Amino acid sequence: MSPLTPYRRLFALPGTRAFTLGNLVARLPMGMFSVSAVIMIAGARGSYALAGAVTATGLAATAVVAPWTARLVDRHGQARVAVPATAFALLGGTGLVACVRFGAPDWTLFAAYAATATTPNTGGMSRARWAHLLKGDAAALHTANSFEQAVDELCFMLGPVLAAFLCGAVSPAAGMLVGCALLMTGVLLFTAQRSTQPPLRPVTASGSPVLAPGMPPLLLSFLATGAVFGAMEVATIAFADERGHSSAAGVVLALQAAGSCVAGLLFGTLRRETPAPGRETSADRSAGSPEHGGPFGHSAGSAPFDADTLAARRYAVCVGAMAVLLTLPLLAVRLTGSLPVLAGALLVAGMATAPTMVTGMTLVQRRTPEGRLNEGMTLAVTGLLGGIAGGSAAAGWMVEHWSPAAGYTVPVAAATTALVIASLAARTGTARHRKRHLELGPVTTS
């Protein structure tokens, strides 16, 4: 079977190509806005500190507002909420351009950029459509989630490059204005595809996804993973600047995203068998037994694992791979001090990102209460954003007080923290499942 076959099957479904195209256009600006804002504000006001504070404020506002926007999407539908939310966000983006252009007081920059927090989570809405269309087909949903992660990496790889080009070659405001136009156009195209939109579900009394079983440790691991991304970016920019090649930092970081993008597409071609509750495949049973080197040392003949437990174990393994590979950039700067060697190390290290995010998002989809999928996935993204902010600050402190090379210890520490959280959560789930198995007795099949 060709590696492209799973993807051909995905896009053979009616309406999938149309909503994917619109979503691609809407997601590209997500990698443009912060870079555009920094270039525009720093160029006009002569202060990177002010530019960084404005973008950090927007990030904090997004962390607060985005879950509420996602909840409204779940309750009232993607088209009814996403379009006006995007329009309001664009008022903030264009307002920021006007404030900078006409020399408005600094506080207006914070207010304008904070208004962009209503931007809907277009990636989450796309994943929700796939979850609706592929309900009951775990293998196809795995491929779809892998594709979506690859798209994320592609947008965050190309977005900053496009923004920097527009701001430098056209005008300082061009990156923000073009990003606003792309976002609105993409959201309109995406929401126009009503046939693939998930149906509205009756409002239930289910609690917040934050409190759903298994979600708190999962969101904490996303927070730690976000710190990996934020710290890696700051450390790489500082290291390139120290070596006198600050303009190459974007290319070096793009290689990390490229590695993740390729890995995500390849990961989507792997066949993932997710058994029904109370069953497991022979491969999963072997992977969990000590004689086959299972990561959690389950004994032969132990209780079969349910789908959520298996997914949690896969996630822990992927986080572990990410933690191991993230030592490569640290070793590259410590042992060689070479920017090209660092670039190669980041390319390899990035290959663990997509599998980690794909398996993590799969768990989010499993654990989010019925009818609140957009909110659950947006909470995961909010955790990543919070981690990015914290990781950036921590790496910045290490760079300033020690050295750019020391900044690479932060991603390793954050990934190790994520691994500890994911492993403990997987062990807890395994113990809970074994207890339930003992109480109910072995599952028999005809």
Side-chain angles (χ1 to χ4, degrees):
M1 182 179 71
S2 167
L4 296 178
T5 299
Y7 294 102
R8 290 196 185 103
R9 290 173 179 169
L10 281 185
F11 294 107
L13 297 174
T16 55
R17 296 183 183 183
F19 87 70
T20 298
L21 176 61
N23 198 265
L24 280 170
V25 175
R27 275 155 90 171
L28 181 60
M30 300 308 171
M32 298 176 61
F33 286 138
S34 61
V35 173
S36 299
V38 168
I39 294 175
M40 180 174 61
I41 295 171
R45 302 295 171 93
S47 173
Y48 278 99
L50 174 62
V54 169
T55 56
T57 300
L59 191 66
T62 299
V64 174
V65 175
W68 292 95
T69 303
R71 182 177 297 181
L72 291 174
V73 169
D74 284 328
R75 184 168 297 180
H76 301 290
Q78 294 182 354
R80 290 183 62 186
V81 175
V83 173
T86 301
F88 187 85
L90 296 194
L91 289 177
T94 55
L96 178 65
V97 172
C99 290
V100 173
R101 173 69 177 80
F102 296 107
D106 289 350
W107 67 265
T108 61
L109 308 184
F110 291 90
Y113 200 63
T116 64
T118 62
T119 303
N121 178 11
T122 51
M125 291 192 297
S126 184
R127 287 179 172 92
R129 293 199 180 207
W130 287 119
H132 164 61
L133 294 172
L134 303 174
K135 190 172 184 179
D137 190 343
L141 186 58
H142 166 74
T143 301
N145 284 335
S146 299
F147 172 78
E148 291 295 327
Q149 186 59 38
V151 169
D152 281 342
E153 301 296 344
L154 182 65
C155 290
F156 280 103
M157 179 172 60
L158 298 180
V161 176
L162 177 59
F165 170 77
L166 290 171
C167 291
V170 182
S171 78
M176 181 65 69
L177 293 176
V178 171
C180 288
L182 288 173
L183 177 61
M184 192 75 251
T185 301
V187 168
L188 288 173
L189 290 173
F190 176 76
T191 55
Q193 311 306 315
R194 302 297 181 95
S195 63
T196 54
Q197 180 175 271
L200 295 180
R201 301 185 184 277
V203 178
T204 64
S206 60
S208 169
V210 174
L211 304 177
M215 281 293 278
L218 183 57
L219 294 177
L220 285 175
S221 70
F222 270 75
L223 186 70
T225 302
V228 170
F229 303 151
M232 190 65 75
E233 181 175 343
V234 170
T236 300
I237 292 173
F239 184 78
D241 186 54
E242 182 188 55
R243 290 296 182 270
H245 300 287
S246 57
S247 61
V251 176
V252 174
L253 288 169
L255 285 174
Q256 181 187 11
S260 181
C261 181
V262 173
L265 292 174
L266 292 175
F267 192 62
T269 65
L270 299 179
R271 185 172 181 81
R272 281 298 196 217
E273 297 182 5
T274 304
R279 301 187 184 201
E280 63 172 337
T281 65
S282 58
D284 288 319
R285 184 180 296 110
S286 297
S289 60
E291 61 267 30
H292 288 83
F296 301 102
H298 300 301
S299 59
S302 61
F305 297 115
D306 59 16
D308 187 81
T309 303
L310 287 171
R313 290 174 58 192
R314 287 173 184 151
Y315 177 60
V317 170
C318 289
V319 174
M322 180 178 69
V324 171
L325 290 181
L326 281 172
T327 61
L328 296 179
L330 177 61
L331 292 173
V333 298
R334 288 286 192 184
L335 299 179
T336 71
S338 168
L339 193 59
V341 173
L342 172 64
L346 285 173
L347 177 66
V348 176
M351 293 180 179
T353 301
T356 298
M357 295 305 303
V358 170
T359 52
M361 281 297 184
T362 299
L363 276 174
V364 171
Q365 291 171 342
R366 287 186 174 280
R367 294 175 178 178
T368 299
E370 187 78 11
R372 304 187 73 166
L373 185 56
N374 280 292
E375 184 180 354
M377 288 190 290
T378 300
L379 285 169
V381 173
T382 299
L384 288 172
L385 292 177
I388 289 172
S392 298
W397 189 92
M398 291 292 290
V399 167
E400 184 173 339
H401 290 84
W402 293 88
S403 68
Y408 285 97
T409 62
V410 178
V412 175
T416 302
T417 302
L419 174 60
V420 170
I421 295 171
S423 298
L424 289 176
R427 284 180 178 274
T428 301
T430 298
R432 184 167 54 247
H433 179 75
R434 278 179 170 174
K435 181 179 179 182
R436 185 167 64 249
H437 178 81
L438 291 174
E439 289 173 350
L440 298 177
V443 176
T444 58
T445 59
S446 55

